[in-house]
Amino acid sequence: MNIHEYQAKQLMREYGVPVSDGRVVLKAEEAKTAASELDGPVWVVKAQIHAGGRGKGHFKEASAGEKGGVRLTRSVEEAADEVQRMLGRTLVTHQSGPAGRTVNRIYIEEGAGIARELYLALLIDRKTSHIAFVCSTEGGMDIEEVAAKTPDRIVTFTVDPATGISGFHGRRVAFALGLEGRQVRQCVELVGRLYRLFVEKDAEMLEVNPLIVTDKGELRCLDAKMGFDSNALYRQPEILALRDETEEDPKELAASKFDLNYIALDGEIGCMVNGAGLAMATMDIIKLFGAEPANFLDVGGGATTEKVTEAFKIITSDPQVKGILINIFGGIMRCDVIAEGVIAAVKEVGLKVPLVVRLEGTNVELGKKILNESGLDVIAADDLADAAQKIVAAVKEYA
Ligand code: GDP
Ligand code: MN
């Protein structure tokens, strides 16, 4: 789960990490009051969306020469005008996808004078199961671009959780960023605080781009992106409260409400499978026979008719889906429950695309019988390869 910049900065503030003073606004009328609570002479107006690259992004239906989602303004009035301009518009950045994101919140921040722009991120390194630091002197740019063009300017290292964070790590970051004098001490402190925030809140990603040296020689986090481990949210109510559902894929959101493991993908074949391993294998075999899966979906072991119905609704709500493959190996899950769920779902939402069903395992005969007698236009399959070939062929034929 990701959060907004202003929320990440609030967390940082709580951990004593240096950030600029700022106010979030949800309505244009609030902008003047919010901006006048901040000292000038520069007010930075920042669109809050869960995608980076806002500064270089563009609004849909922009007028000629109109700027992106991060603007430096010189008065309270100008800041309020920018808020008015951005609110409710769609901002497209290289991370948002071509559809862009609607701007519902704006952060107004006291402008900082910048001497240097640096890059600092904390991530989980899955290979070592450690937290990794990524540092670069090339701040304000995309780290992917830096990695492609000047990989020697990126320094990474990991922290052993057994020993934890120490001054040594902070000095290592400071050295990688070319800091000197009292900035080194500030950096050691900053690194320790960011690490503690990361661990205590079950973060998955924390990116500060840019981390700046101000014109007064102080370190400050000018931008902040944070993501959290969804599996840890049950013990992080304070983080969960920061969730912005308007930023999430509505299909993934619906799935999470029914405790379905669903991930939207780009292909044309909707999949309903039980078990993560079988779901992965199903996606692979769809690709093998020349099509692409529209989603990963594991309905889990003990799915009810209601859950199956919801899963089916989520799949059919995706306009990209040109065919559906249901692949169930009934162990704990019973094939008759799946069959009833499918029938209930089709009754509710209709079936406009070909449907292939492969059932195996517990109550398979009953499941097949229920489907056969339902009058539904179901293509039955015997095994995994047969099912994948049949749905790929059906989609090609109906296309
Ligand atoms: P992003 O485009 O989504 O990554 O948003 P950022 O928060 O990183 O802002 C983009 C750029 O705007 C930064 O790299 C800075 O160059 C500039 N910027 C942001 N805040 C300030 C500020 O307070 N003062 C100045 N001078 N520039 C700023
Ligand atoms: Mn940034």
Side-chain angles (χ1 to χ4, degrees):
M1 188 194 88
N2 295 325
I3 60 172
H4 288 292
E5 174 196 5
Y6 78 92
Q7 297 169 325
K9 284 183 170 170
Q10 182 52 35
L11 287 170
M12 289 177 166
R13 232 172 251 127
E14 287 165 25
Y15 278 76
V17 173
V19 291
S20 302
D21 197 7
R23 300 282 182 280
V24 66
V25 294
L26 308 175
K27 295 197 196 92
E29 305 89 86
E30 303 164 358
K32 259 194 193 145
T33 315
S36 56
E37 285 170 18
L38 303 169
D39 290 334
V42 171
W43 289 259
V44 188
V45 179
K46 311 181 84 174
Q48 299 295 290
I49 56 170
H50 286 187
R54 296 161 301 168
K56 295 199 184 94
H58 66 271
F59 286 98
K60 285 210 165 154
E61 284 142 27
S63 47
E66 191 186 324
K67 298 281 177 27
V70 176
R71 293 286 287 148
L72 268 60
T73 66
R74 310 236 153 238
S75 69
V76 167
E77 287 71 28
E78 202 192 331
D81 288 347
E82 284 295 326
V83 171
Q84 173 89 39
R85 179 179 72 88
M86 290 184 193
L87 263 181
R89 305 266 303 278
T90 304
L91 182 58
V92 182
T93 79
H94 68 96
Q95 284 186 7
S96 70
R101 302 281 176 85
T102 310
V103 178
N104 297 316
R105 309 176 194 203
I106 310 268
Y107 192 47
I108 309 177
E109 202 175 66
E110 225 163 81
I114 302 178
R116 293 181 66 206
E117 291 193 82
L118 311 166
Y119 179 96
L120 181 62
L122 281 74
L123 306 161
I124 307 268
D125 177 29
R126 296 188 188 279
K127 225 187 262 168
T128 56
S129 307
H130 292 178
I131 292 170
F133 276 86
V134 181
C135 330
S136 175
T137 49
E138 310 303 296
M141 301 194 358
D142 265 342
I143 197 68
E144 289 83 1
E145 201 182 318
V146 181
K149 289 188 186 151
T150 49
D152 53 303
R153 292 189 197 154
I154 299 176
V155 173
T156 65
F157 63 87
T158 66
V159 178
D160 190 328
T163 48
I165 196 85
S166 73
F168 161 73
H169 299 109
R171 285 189 292 278
R172 207 158 161 188
V173 172
F175 185 71
L177 298 179
L179 301 177
E180 285 172 349
R182 69 192 166 98
Q183 288 160 13
V184 175
R185 220 172 41 233
Q186 282 181 17
C187 183
V188 169
E189 196 142 285
L190 177 84
V191 162
R193 288 169 195 260
L194 289 177
Y195 186 86
R196 204 157 63 77
L197 165 61
F198 193 95
V199 172
E200 288 180 3
K201 301 295 179 193
D202 291 310
E204 216 165 49
M205 183 269 297
L206 192 173
E207 186 185 57
V208 182
N209 187 20
L211 166 69
I212 60 160
V213 178
T214 67
D215 49 5
K216 297 186 182 71
E218 313 284 332
L219 284 181
R220 188 182 294 184
C221 298
L222 211 61
D223 191 9
K225 251 178 111 176
M226 281 192 88
F228 298 85
D229 180 353
S230 307
N231 292 315
L233 288 172
Y234 74 95
R235 65 180 189 189
Q236 297 289 356
E238 182 204 352
I239 301 298
L240 189 58
L242 303 178
R243 187 170 191 177
D244 180 356
E245 297 191 341
T246 66
E247 288 281 344
E248 295 179 25
D249 181 310
K251 299 189 295 297
E252 292 187 7
L253 191 63
S256 75
K257 294 211 162 114
F258 288 90
D259 204 20
L260 295 159
N261 295 310
Y262 174 91
I263 294 170
L265 300 167
D266 295 329
E268 66 275 27
I269 297 184
C271 306
M272 179 148 89
V273 189
N274 68 323
L278 191 58
M280 301 277 269
T282 305
M283 298 192 325
D284 280 348
I285 206 158
I286 287 171
K287 278 174 172 278
L288 181 68
F289 289 113
E292 294 287 327
N295 64 279
F296 169 94
L297 172 59
D298 167 16
V299 293
T304 57
T305 306
E306 190 203 16
K307 223 166 141 175
V308 173
T309 310
E310 286 307 319
F312 201 82
K313 275 202 235 166
I314 290 165
I315 292 174
T316 52
S317 73
D318 182 351
Q320 288 194 99
V321 167
K322 303 286 182 278
I324 299 170
L325 172 54
I326 297 180
N327 183 21
I328 300 291
F329 187 86
I332 304 168
M333 186 77 207
R334 285 160 30 209
C335 294
D336 56 313
V337 171
I338 289 286
E340 268 161 13
V342 170
I343 291 163
V346 171
K347 275 198 188 127
E348 209 175 319
V349 299
L351 182 63
K352 295 171 198 79
V353 295
L355 169 65
V356 170
V357 180
R358 179 249 175 169
L359 296 176
E360 195 55 76
T362 310
N363 291 3
V364 62
E365 291 313 323
L366 182 56
K368 283 184 175 166
K369 184 163 170 277
I370 292 170
L371 282 176
N372 285 338
E373 289 171 0
S374 70
L376 279 190
D377 193 9
V378 175
I379 305 166
D382 295 322
D383 59 36
L384 195 44
D386 183 42
Q389 276 169 306
K390 277 181 171 154
I391 190 62
V392 172
V395 165
K396 295 229 159 100
E397 193 181 312
Y398 283 72

